[in-house]
């Protein structure tokens, strides 16, 4: 008994005849075969057991008699045909025709010796025709039926991962479509001028219909809040907690995986493969977790790529998918560990460590062990602490380890069921290659001569900021949109040329010394509407770009173009405002600083990959409040002109916490004309930098919409004021700043939603993920 199960425990399921569908008839024929395989018929002595079983007439006769006794004839000839072909393939022998048993009378059949399970498990040598006892046949039949039921249900549950995410994505697309239709309908209402109101000044009641109570409740309790504790951008120890809606999705996914790993196990009594029931269960659980882990692989790759189709169709940002990426990977790793532990336990129980060592010699086996180990390492090297403190180390190990995992996983599953499971490996490779290709395409679409993209970097010590100016010729492929970001590669040092970091496009300057905002769909050529790049006092140029083009001589070092680049006829440029931190950004700052001292902007060769990111549909909101800190100002700057060109925007407020007066001065300088628009208010809160104070206050005085205060803004109060002013109209709150600030803004939005301001919507432009 024990020897039998020992041998059969690891009888590879994939080597049994493959079945197209669950058809009890199949398991009946195969059950007869399984029962008779215990006997060694001695009417042939050629080669291996497999070859002997193809050549033995005693065996074939026994098999046919068994089938005739226990099985429905439906499907029989097909099964025999397949068995015959298998024999021709492996033994160059054909099975005798089925009618060799036609001559057996019922009398003769009744006299044929019956093979009992007890006898069969001694592996008898047989010199005569045998028929398995009915109870023995039943055990063989249920063994097969249960085992193959499991094989099929593993596969079905594997595909459930895709149904789950399919539903999630469908919900995302659905809500996006509904809000799109809603905004189109609002625009239609606006387009009907009444006797009192014109198109330019829509009546408030037409301008915005408050959303339904159900939608407001959804926002208040599900989509806007942090999962708990008002911590969303801020990490909790070594963890980051996604927003509530994402956490709920992830929770549902985890629950689904737990359920699918715990149900539908058919443990049968007297199982011939795995007589001990706990071993049977281990085997099924290990296979289930293995299959689910593998099925999750393409999802991990899909959610982790920069160019993810799902981002385009749902409008959810990289951050959301990155959270899904992490959690699917964690679930898959836990499943892989259970799978490996299960097989280790099974092998150890049967043959101890010597047997385990023997298994380690098998190619598929050690590859599987390595895949699990490397998946665990991958998880360990992805902890938030390392990601934050050593981003490049994290990224490099992440890529190397994921290649190793994919390779070892491939070799682990390639031999099973004719390589069927590799259908979960190839999509990972395809997604990865596609992502890299699209990255390359984005680089090329920005500049076909990608190796020759020149940029100028200027470092301002007083602002502690690098201004990166990238001239470009507008192509049809890429059109800078407000709120999008680009990955920047710095090619000046080949050692670091592969490193690329995301930066939000702050604004676009046009030729002839003017700046134009990105995203005005009507006017995207180089001569489009422009923002002056000089102090307001120094020229009378207007924001709409109908000015003379004299460049300012007292241009601010930070935001104004360098003398050479501001000469008439220069090409338009993308402007990035970059805060130096420790890695990539500090090298950029050093590079820029060395040249800036020499009063010439530093010219460097870069690659620009973009634009990325869904552009928040802010122009659908009559009231917009930006709450930003430091370089987060890039987000409102990028939207500013585009929003003000829309008649549906009634008020736009920017609350900006900034450390350096000089930074504030430079922005006010650059955007003076835009800030003169009566709908705009800029509340600047200068939190440090006492010496520069007077200068900034002077700056603020010159411009209508600018108010300068000292100390941090009270984010909660700001949101409440804005909600009160908006009343029942729709208000978009956009946060981009330090984590604490963003979390406060999120919390305040939940608060005002709870107080009945249904029109409030929260957007977060995260600077990290
Ligand atoms: C969508 C987006 C837009 C951004 N826009 C701007 C901007 O307009 N101006 C600006 O000054 N900064 C912006 N940032 C932040 C900027 O990308 C980081 O400051 C920069 O990557 C830091 O790199 P470092 O090596 O110099 O700093 P490090 O000190 O090595 O890293 C600082 C922090 O940045 C994170 N980080 C590093 N590299 C990346 C990366 N490639 N992707 C995501 N996170 C990373 C790290 O986890 C760490 O928390 C933006 C970030 C994102 C995600
Ligand atoms: N290494 C990194 O972690 C890293 C790298 C790049 C970007 N970023 C992120 O990018 C964003 C902008 O970076 P930055 O360097 O340009 O910013 P910054 O110069 O540090 O400016 C942030 C401003 O926000 C204020 N502030 C912070 N918390 C606040 C709160 N809870 N309420 C009100 N005001 C608050 C700060 O005031 P005080 O002066 O009083 O603090 C400061 O004026 C931030 O989210 C930053 O975390 C981080
Ligand atoms: C199979 O067997 C036949 C005779 O039975 C022989 O002629 C043939 O060469 C064999 N084929 C192979 C591939 O061994
Ligand atoms: C197997 O194939 C041979 C030759 O093709 C044929 O004669 C024989 O009847 C087949 N056996 C069965 C059981 O179908
Ligand atoms: C086959 O085995 C039976 C029973 O063990 C024996 O009686 C018979 O002689 C054997 N025949 C051959 C050809 O070895």
């Amino acid at each position: 008994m024990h020897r039998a199960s020992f041998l059969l425990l690891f009888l590879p399921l994939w080597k049994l005849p493959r079945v197209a569908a669950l058809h009890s008839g199949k398991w009946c024929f195969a059950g007869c075969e399984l029962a008779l395989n215990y006997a060694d018929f001695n009417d042939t002595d050629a080669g291996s057991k497999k070859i002997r079983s193809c050549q033995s007439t005693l065996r074939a006769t026994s098999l046919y008699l068994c089938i005739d006794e226990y099985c429905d004839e439906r499907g029989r000839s097909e099964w025999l045909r397949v068995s015959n072909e298998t024999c021709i393939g492996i033994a160059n022998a054909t099975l005798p025709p089925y009618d060799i048993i036609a001559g057996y009378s019922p009398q003769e059949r009744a006299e044929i010796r019956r093979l009992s399970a007890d006898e069969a498990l001694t592996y008898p040598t047989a010199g005569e025709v045998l028929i398995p006892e009915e109870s023995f046949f039943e055990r063989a039949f249920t063994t097969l039926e249960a085992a193959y039921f499991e094989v099929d249900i593993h596969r079905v549950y594997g595909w459930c991962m895709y149904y789950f995410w399919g539903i999630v994505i469908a919900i995302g697309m659905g809500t996006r479509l509904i809000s799109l239709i809603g905004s189109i309908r609002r625009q239609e209402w606006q387009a009907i001028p009444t006797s009192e109101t014109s198109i330019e000044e829509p009546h408030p009641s037409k301008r915005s219909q408050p959303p339904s109570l159900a939608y407001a409740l959804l926002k208040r309790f599900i989509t806007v809040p942090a999962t708990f504790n008002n911590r969303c951008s801020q990490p909790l120890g070594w963890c980051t907690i996604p927003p509530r809606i994402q956490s709920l999705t992830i929770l549902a996914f985890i629950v689904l995986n737990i359920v699918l790993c715990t149900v539908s196990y058919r443990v049968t009594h007297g199982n011939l493969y795995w007589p001990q029931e706990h071993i049977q269960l281990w085997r099924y659980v290990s296979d289930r977790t293995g299959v689910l882990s593998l099925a999750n692989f393409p999802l991990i790759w899909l959610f982790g790529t920069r160019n993810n189709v799902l981002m385009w169709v749902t409008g959810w940002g990289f951050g959301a998918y990155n959270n899904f990426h992490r959690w699917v990977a964690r679930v898959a790793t836990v499943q892989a560990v259970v799978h490996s532990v299960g097989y280790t336990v099974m092998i150890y129980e049967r043959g101890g460590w010597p047997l385990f060592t023997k298994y380690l010699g098998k190619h598929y086996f050690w590859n599987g062990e390595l895949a699990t180990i490397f998946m665990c390492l991958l998880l360990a090297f992805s902890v938030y602490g390392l990601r934050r403190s050593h981003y490049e180390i994290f990224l490099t190990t992440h890529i190397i380890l994921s290649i190793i995992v994919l390779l070892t996983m491939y070799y682990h599953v390639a031999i099973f069921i004719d390589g069927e499971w590799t259908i979960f490996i190839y999509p990972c490779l395809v997604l990865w290659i596609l992502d890299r290709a699209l990255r390359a395409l984005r680089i090329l679409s920005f500049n076909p001569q990608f190796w020759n993209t020149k940029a100028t970097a200027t470092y301002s010590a007083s602002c502690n900021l690098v201004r990166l100016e990238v001239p470009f010729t507008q192509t049809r492929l890429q059109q800078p949109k407000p709120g999008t970001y680009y990955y920047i590669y710095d090619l000046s040092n080949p050692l670091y040329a592969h490193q690329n970091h995301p930066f939000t496009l702050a604004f676009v300057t046009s030729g002839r010394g003017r700046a134009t905002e990105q995203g005005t769909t009507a006017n995207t050529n180089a001569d489009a509407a422009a923002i002056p790049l000089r102090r307001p006092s120094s020229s009378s140029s207007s924001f709409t770009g109908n000015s003379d083009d004299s460049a300012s001589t007292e241009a601010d070092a930070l935001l104004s173009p360098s003398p050479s680049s501001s000469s008439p006829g220069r090409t338009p440029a993308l402007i990035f405002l970059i805060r130096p931190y420790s890695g990539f950004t500090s090298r950029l700052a050093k590079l820029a600083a060395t040249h800036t001292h020499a009063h010439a902007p530093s010219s460097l060769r870069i690659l620009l990959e973009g634009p990325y990111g869904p552009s928040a549909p802010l122009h659908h909101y009559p009231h917009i409040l930006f709450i930003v800190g430091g370089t987060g100002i890039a987000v409102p700057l990028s939207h500013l002109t585009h929003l003000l060109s829309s008649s549906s925007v009634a008020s736009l407020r920017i609350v900006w916490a900034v450390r350096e007066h000089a930074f504030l001065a430079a922005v006010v300088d650059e955007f003076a004309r835009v800030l003169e628009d009566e709908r705009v208010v800029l509340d600047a809160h200068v939190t440090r930098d006492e010496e520069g104070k007077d200068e900034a206050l002077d700056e603020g005085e010159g411009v209508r919409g600018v108010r300068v205060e000292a100390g941090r803004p009270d984010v909660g109060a700001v949101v409440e004021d804005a909600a009160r002013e908006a009343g029942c109209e729709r208000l978009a709150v956009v946060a981009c700043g330090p984590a604490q600030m963003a979390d406060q803004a999120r919390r305040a939005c939940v608060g005002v939603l709870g107080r009945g301001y249904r029109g409030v919507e929260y957007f977060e432009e995260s600077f990290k993920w």
Side-chain angles (χ1 to χ4, degrees), residues 388 465 579 581-582 628-632 657-660 663 685-688 712-715 736-742 744 767-768:
R388 189 195 43 201
L465 207 65
R579 167 81 66 199
Y581 280 91
S582 50
V628 297
T631 45
V658 56
R659 289 190 170 159
E660 307 84 2
F663 190 4
H685 295 258
V686 184
T687 56
R688 312 252 167 121
R712 289 184 174 190
D714 180 348
V715 174
C736 181
Q740 193 195 27
M741 188 186 220
Q744 285 169 353
F767 268 14
K768 55 173 119 190

Side-chain angles (χ1 to χ4, degrees), residues 487-564:
Y487 288 87
I488 296 176
Y489 303 66
D490 169 21
L491 301 185
S492 45
N493 186 340
L495 207 60
Y496 299 121
H498 64 281
Q499 293 189 4
N500 55 100
H501 290 255
F503 296 96
T504 306
L505 174 61
F507 54 95
V508 180
T509 65
S510 85
R512 297 184 227 155
R514 299 173 308 197
T516 179
E517 90 292 356
Q518 55 283 2
T520 32
T521 39
N523 240 341
T524 39
N525 63 5
D527 290 323
I531 302 164
L533 272 170
R534 70 205 101 215
R535 285 177 133 65
S537 52
S538 66
S539 93
S540 59
S541 73
S542 87
F543 151 60
T544 45
N546 53 1
S547 65
D548 64 331
D549 296 307
S550 60
S552 164
T553 46
E554 42 170 331
D556 182 273
L558 172 66
L559 289 175
S560 295
S562 55
S564 61

Side-chain angles (χ1 to χ4, degrees), residues 157-205:
Y157 287 174
W159 288 111
C160 282
M161 303 296 113
Y162 295 85
Y163 301 138
F164 175 87
W165 288 107
I167 291 168
V168 170
I169 301 304
I171 292 173
M173 285 169 72
T175 50
R176 197 177 187 208
L177 212 64
I178 289 168
S179 74
L180 202 74
I181 292 167
S183 61
I184 288 170
R185 276 169 51 193
R186 273 191 296 279
Q187 276 169 2
E188 277 169 1
W189 289 324
Q190 283 170 31
I192 307 160
T194 59
S195 47
E196 309 98 300
T197 57
S198 69
I199 305 172
E200 289 73 34
E201 284 291 327
H203 191 273
S205 66

Side-chain angles (χ1 to χ4, degrees), residues 243-263:
R244 190 171 292 169
I245 177 79
Q246 287 170 32
S247 294
L248 288 175
T249 310
I250 290 164
L251 189 71
F253 177 73
I254 293 172
V255 169
L256 177 75
N257 273 271
I258 291 174
V259 168
L260 294 188
C261 286
T262 46
V263 298

Side-chain angles (χ1 to χ4, degrees), residues 88-89 91-93:
I88 294 167
N92 193 21

Side-chain angles (χ1 to χ4, degrees), residues 100-339:
I100 53 167
I101 59 164
Y104 281 82
S105 68
Q107 181 90 46
E108 283 170 311
R109 290 179 193 218
E111 281 165 8
I112 291 170
R113 196 159 77 80
R114 301 282 149 159
L115 178 66
S116 72
D118 286 346
E119 192 194 345
L121 292 170
T122 64
Y123 297 96
T125 302
E128 61 190 317
V129 171
L130 294 170
I131 297 181
E133 253 180 14
E134 185 166 3
S135 65
F136 180 40
F137 164 75
E138 282 297 334
R139 285 177 62 180
F141 174 69
T142 53
T143 296
L144 286 175
E145 200 190 36
Y148 280 92
F149 165 78
E150 293 298 336
V151 170
D152 284 329
I153 206 79
H154 298 333
R155 195 177 293 135
V156 170
Y157 287 174
W159 288 111
C160 282
M161 303 296 113
Y162 295 85
Y163 301 138
F164 175 87
W165 288 107
I167 291 168
V168 170
I169 301 304
I171 292 173
M173 285 169 72
T175 50
R176 197 177 187 208
L177 212 64
I178 289 168
S179 74
L180 202 74
I181 292 167
S183 61
I184 288 170
R185 276 169 51 193
R186 273 191 296 279
Q187 276 169 2
E188 277 169 1
W189 289 324
Q190 283 170 31
I192 307 160
T194 59
S195 47
E196 309 98 300
T197 57
S198 69
I199 305 172
E200 289 73 34
E201 284 291 327
H203 191 273
S205 66
K206 304 260 191 232
R207 197 159 56 198
S208 169
Q209 307 285 318
S212 70
L213 179 64
Y215 183 53
L217 286 176
L218 190 73
K219 282 193 289 188
R220 180 182 169 195
F221 291 108
I222 306 289
T223 57
V224 179
T227 304
F228 48 80
N229 221 357
N230 296 308
R231 270 172 178 269
C232 207
S233 293
Q234 302 169 86
L236 240 177
W238 271 39
C239 309
T240 51
I241 316 277
R244 190 171 292 169
I245 177 79
Q246 287 170 32
S247 294
L248 288 175
T249 310
I250 290 164
L251 189 71
F253 177 73
I254 293 172
V255 169
L256 177 75
N257 273 271
I258 291 174
V259 168
L260 294 188
C261 286
T262 46
V263 298
S264 308
Y265 291 117
R266 286 196 188 166
V267 175
T268 65
H269 186 67
N271 191 299
L272 292 177
Y273 288 169
W274 314 289
Q276 290 166 287
E277 280 165 27
H278 79 277
I279 293 290
Q280 229 176 105
L281 194 62
W282 261 124
R283 171 68 188 236
Y284 293 154
V285 171
S286 305
D287 285 357
R288 179 78 56 81
T289 47
V291 169
L292 288 190
S293 176
L294 181 63
N296 279 322
F297 263 51
L299 293 168
I300 302 173
W301 262 261
L302 176 62
F303 293 157
T305 49
R306 251 177 223 180
N307 292 284
N308 169 356
V309 196
L310 302 181
M311 266 194 287
W312 308 335
V313 299
T314 58
W316 300 334
F318 185 81
Y321 284 100
N322 209 3
N323 285 324
F324 298 154
H325 166 78
R326 283 176 208 155
W327 280 101
V328 177
R330 284 167 193 164
V331 167
T333 307
V334 171
Q335 287 165 337
V337 169
V338 172
H339 175 78

Side-chain angles (χ1 to χ4, degrees), residues 40-44 58 124-128:
D40 197 3
F41 294 93
N42 67 358
D43 56 337
T44 170
L58 284 180
T125 302
E128 61 190 317

